[in-house]
Amino acid sequence: MAFTPEEVERYARHLVLAEIGGPGQQKLAAATVLIVGAGGVGGPAALYLAAAGVGTIRIVDGDTVALSNLQRQILFDTPDIGRSKVEVAADRLQAINPHVRVETIDHPLTTGNVAGIIAGVDVVLDGTDDFATRHAVNAACVAAGVPLVSGALGRWSGQVAVFAGRPCYRCLVPESPPDAETCARVGVVGALAGVIGAMAALEAIKLITGAGEPLTGRLLLYDGLSATSRTVTVTADPACPVCAGPTPPA
């Protein structure tokens, strides 16, 4: 895949990086990334992935833009209120980089349609705040052998992890908490969404290009109030209903 002079200039800061260079940029151009949720995490992640030159960005979200989104969801502007989130996302991402193909899915992801939605993608990035959706995405990724980048946030803290096979997200969160703390319930500082979304995009770029060491099987915890972070290892659950292998015969 040859780059045009315009693309060489556009991606110049990547092309001089030893860990990316021409081969890595070609991998980005050939890649398809699915973003589940065009909200606080998915929005900034989508912006950075489009700017990075990911060839196809598939984005699924059934919501429309609301005024309360604008405090943290930087894909959207005030005139976008009432519009489909994925429609606005497509306009913004292609304005940033016309070389990127944006595929929009303007309805919620469910257990019934998730397999079709992730078909053909290289990486899935999940930024939703709904545990049922997260578990459905995780199960589909494990079944399809697709790496999953997971980002979440609330109040002043956030987390990013990468799952590829075992352990999986279900090992980390076995069940949906009955009183899950969503941003709508507990609040969130807007700038934190940019931090976690950018971290999630960075992990996706590393997975695609083979650069560095992704957070595979690890969870990065970021505390915005104290400006500290730590990384912990996610332990595989031997009884996980999603990623544990079949029980060998006696």
Side-chain angles (χ1 to χ4, degrees):
M1 179 187 300
F3 292 118
T4 66
E6 187 272 340
E7 289 174 302
V8 170
E9 182 174 357
R10 178 182 291 272
Y11 304 126
R13 302 305 187 272
H14 273 179
L15 296 174
V16 297
L17 286 173
E19 297 84 359
I20 297 182
Q25 195 62 47
Q26 289 176 334
K27 290 177 182 177
L28 288 169
T32 298
V33 175
L34 168 66
I35 298 178
V36 184
V41 174
L47 291 169
Y48 272 112
L49 291 175
V54 170
T56 302
I57 296 175
R58 185 179 301 168
I59 189 161
V60 54
D61 195 312
D63 287 342
T64 56
V65 180
L67 180 59
S68 61
N69 298 150
L70 304 184
Q71 168 256 8
R72 66 201 176 282
Q73 297 184 17
I74 59 173
L75 262 179
F76 314 123
D77 298 321
T78 301
D80 296 323
I81 293 172
R83 292 183 63 195
S84 157
K85 284 187 174 182
V86 295
E87 177 186 310
V88 177
D91 290 344
R92 288 290 307 279
L93 299 183
Q94 293 190 312
I96 290 171
N97 190 344
H99 302 288
V100 174
R101 177 186 179 193
V102 182
E103 299 176 350
T104 60
I105 301 173
D106 192 8
H107 55 73
L109 181 147
T110 67
T111 55
N113 64 23
V114 62
I117 289 174
I118 75 165
V121 307
D122 299 289
V123 177
V124 174
L125 192 155
D126 185 0
T128 60
D129 61 0
D130 176 81
F131 284 97
T133 301
R134 285 180 170 272
H135 281 146
V137 170
N138 172 69
C141 285
V142 172
V146 176
L148 169 64
V149 180
S150 177
L153 47 82
R155 295 192 175 97
W156 291 86
S157 61
Q159 62 185 46
V160 180
V162 175
F163 302 99
R166 300 198 71 205
C168 73
Y169 180 79
R170 188 71 178 266
C171 297
L172 178 67
V173 184
E175 303 293 340
S176 300
D179 53 350
E181 294 187 346
T182 64
C183 291
R185 286 187 56 199
V186 304
V188 62
V189 63
L192 179 67
V195 174
I196 301 303
M199 286 182 176
L202 184 59
E203 291 303 309
I205 290 169
K206 287 159 59 182
L207 286 166
I208 293 165
T209 62
E213 184 180 353
L215 281 168
T216 306
R218 297 182 295 148
L219 177 70
L220 187 151
L221 301 163
Y222 176 76
D223 185 333
L225 275 178
S226 63
T228 58
S229 64
R230 61 190 179 98
T231 303
V232 298
T233 299
V234 179
T235 302
D237 180 357
C240 177
V242 174
C243 70
T247 302

